Amino acid sequence: MAGSRLPRQLFLQGVAAVFMFAFASLYTQIPGLYGPEGILPARRTLRPQGKGRWPQLWETPTLLWETPLLGLDTAQGLELLSLLGTLLALGALLLHQLRHFLVYLLLWAAYLSAYQVGQVFLYFQWDSLLLETGFLALLVAPLRLPPRHKHAQGRLAGVLPHEDLPFWLVRWLLFRLMFASGVVKLTSRCPAWWGLTALTYHFETQCLPTPASWFAHHLPVWLHKLSVVATFLIEIAVPPLFFAPVRRLRLAAFYSQVLLQVLIIITGNYNFFNLLTLVLTTALLDDAHLAGNSRRKKTPSSWPKALLALLALLLELAVYGLLAFGVVYCFGLEVDWEQHSVHSKTTFTFHQFSQWLKMVTLPTMWLGAASLAWELLTALWRWTQVRGWLQKFCAAVQLSVFGMATVALFTISLVPYSYMEPSTHGRLWTGAHRLFGTVEHLQLAHSYGLFRRMTGLGGRPEVVLEGSYDGHHWTEIEFMYKPGNVSRAPPIVAPHQPRLDWQMWFAALGPHTHSPWFTSLVLRLLQGKEPVIRLIQNHAPRYPFHKQPPTYVRAQRYKYRFSKPGEQGQWWRRQWVEEFFPSVSLGDPTLDMLLGQFGLQDKSPPRPRSSSSTLAQALRWMRKQLSPLEAPALLWGLLGTVVAIRVMQALLGPRSSPRATEEKHRPAPPEDLVAASKQASPAPDVSSGSQTPRRKK
């Protein structure tokens, strides 16, 4: 291992950036989703059960229990948490001093608090992934602030023995995410994945396509099928290489994951999910690669090292050859030179894949355990190099705490990981099940499996809302982001997630009774509630009923397809399928029956807002200032601010001396153990996460 200080710093910055986007995106939608006049008011989720304060907090861990003490309702408390989370994440992204254990603890606690009241609009896999990653970030973050004086930095130059342990959990999380996402595509028995035709549907049936999705959809079918094969390769075959002993194999795995995520970002609006996955891939990097030292070829100084280098090269070639053979054999790849295409088909059966999965699931757990054991032994060896009895004692305490936490989190993660193979899940150690059940509500580990089944094989189902004043003449209500007008190009929304638009996509997959919140949406539109209308159209004139709420509202289900090349002015084609939601008005028995059936009739009036509360007035003022901005513009504005500040720091910061520049290009020390054994002597500044005396900008 070539050290992981720079990757750890990159990881912490990436987590801060994702938290910033997640909190800011959520903040813009709180009034319409969770406010007193929102679709699912958050105040209904926090009902005191007569329990003590601490048991209640443990059962439902959210800081929003304390909002009444601040003179705020639940939705206002959620706004306060989102604003503070955005500012705190922005600070951690810009200032190295704020990348501290306590800062990431606050970020994780704030998002967990929002998750507890978020209901269906906050129950996405990337929300769970952010919570799990955020908890790992608070373990990776340093416990102490970097010293200001160079002399103090020299005394603390030695690497702490436990530092790499929590960061290993990031690599294990990336493995679980990618491997499970590949496996569930085949265990679901989806004919599109098994037939390698999933991408012929995916680009037009995903929730929020981008303009590039239209072009990707019209690529040749053979290229779509070959891309599915590449997806299986990257998600199933490559992840075990995350733990490979050969560094170049891990780097190859890193670049394959980056390629996949970048292509997904280009062809789909998946908010901050792909950015978060890219942040996780930093666990595959090392200091030498990020510092640019990996390009220098080093001649082995002795024959044992030369032999090891040769064996590593042979192992690397063997792995690449095995992957190539496995892909050709399992998917029957054949090159058609006349048609200039590649034919592919699945050559194995579901039974064969199930037997293979049953055979490899437990060994992958042992692979993770072996890799973790190596990290523990490495940390123990580093501890033996610490000098001074006081430093040795403090290092032992930290190593014990972080070692036990790492082992515990690894054990907990085995339970959701084993969900993909039932027989292995049943044979798992009962202690792991009990430990997972104890902390499950803290969202420390999850099962993952993205794009399990391909939807919309017969066309993309889409729900279109309509309003009317007389019940005869209907006007469509167009959303800002989801498909509606066939002449409008798909927008670029990421890293913002319009959560109502996403739920509209899920609602279209079944009857409206499977999405109870939809009835509440219809009620709010009939009432003309502005916070909900802003979720649909941020600018009032674009909403057809901005002057007076509609008397009647209904919903129709359509099948949408991308237009064909040559159809000028159109991005979509659509066909009416059926009525999705019946025509209703205020006081309609059907509407009242549905509201009562789903428990959406809130008989208790909302608590009056405390207008005298200075904090409440400040929140309302802030909302008034930011409400004219569309959410994507706000998020891109935050990103532009970060870039501008970084550029100013680079331009106005002190320039490196020629000697520092020379040291910058000098090869890094062979191991952190060398630095740990020289604490008494002057050492380079490592507070910025680098082993060279380069100034962090």
Side-chain angles (χ1 to χ4, degrees), residues 41 59 136 154 219 237 240 245 300 304 325 327 381 391 398 411 431 451 455 490 496 549 584 626:
E59 183 176 332
L136 296 183
L219 291 174
F325 172 78
V327 169
W381 170 254
Q391 291 84 350
Q398 292 180 354
T411 305
F451 304 109
T455 60
H496 171 59
V584 295
L626 296 178

Side-chain angles (χ1 to χ4, degrees), residues 108-127:
W108 173 78
Y111 206 77
L112 178 63
S113 300
Y115 181 86
Q116 297 298 327
V117 301
Q119 305 168 77
V120 68
F121 292 109
L122 212 60
Y123 289 169
F124 293 95
Q125 287 198 48
W126 33 87
D127 295 310

Side-chain angles (χ1 to χ4, degrees), residues 592-605:
D592 293 338
M593 181 269 294
L594 290 173
L595 291 172
Q597 177 183 347
F598 299 136
L600 298 173
Q601 290 178 328
D602 195 358
K603 299 180 181 180
S604 60

